[in-house]
Amino acid sequence: MPESKTELLDYYPAGWTEHIHDDYYIEWVYDDDESIFVRLDGTMGDDYSVIPVTGVNEDGEEFVTKPISRLSREEAFESAGALIYAMNGTIGRLNNEPEFTGDEHDE
């Protein structure tokens, strides 16, 4: 698992890339489909938002499920971490990866 270069997230799943634009704007992007990512945005003042994006259409419009807003910095990083791992696990199950389907056995 890659180690995060942020102060409040220790690690994120392999297969994702962390883009730190500045201290208040960070994205974790799924490597196999860069239209899937989680954005942490604290550029609008003291409150932070976490935005899960599950795709981008031909016009460049992002498919945002539901932004989580009015978070403290710590809450935003906790939420971003949870969403990254949830999205990663869902992708893993849909791709039938043994790690996520329960089919992985110790030999």
Side-chain angles (χ1 to χ4, degrees), residues 1-98:
M1 253 189 264
E3 188 171 345
S4 175
K5 297 203 178 4
T6 66
E7 65 186 66
L8 295 171
L9 187 67
D10 294 330
Y11 298 94
Y12 56 92
W16 290 71
T17 301
E18 181 175 72
H19 297 281
I20 301 174
H21 302 284
D22 63 36
D23 287 342
Y24 305 99
Y25 192 82
I26 303 163
E27 294 175 322
W28 292 270
V29 180
Y30 182 58
D31 294 341
D32 288 346
D33 183 345
E34 293 183 357
S35 71
I36 297 173
F37 58 94
V38 174
R39 176 183 297 138
L40 183 144
D41 186 351
T43 59
M44 300 301 287
D46 292 336
D47 291 338
Y48 283 76
S49 294
V50 177
I51 301 107
V53 178
T54 57
V56 178
N57 70 18
E58 293 174 354
D59 296 327
E61 297 169 326
E62 297 173 345
F63 297 113
V64 176
T65 51
K66 181 176 187 234
I68 305 167
S69 302
R70 296 188 179 139
L71 300 171
S72 69
R73 184 170 175 83
E74 293 80 13
E75 292 169 330
F77 274 92
E78 286 178 22
S79 297
L83 285 168
I84 294 163
Y85 280 95
M87 292 168 79
N88 189 63
T90 301
I91 292 166
R93 284 200 51 89
L94 291 173
N95 290 335
N96 288 318
E97 295 174 18

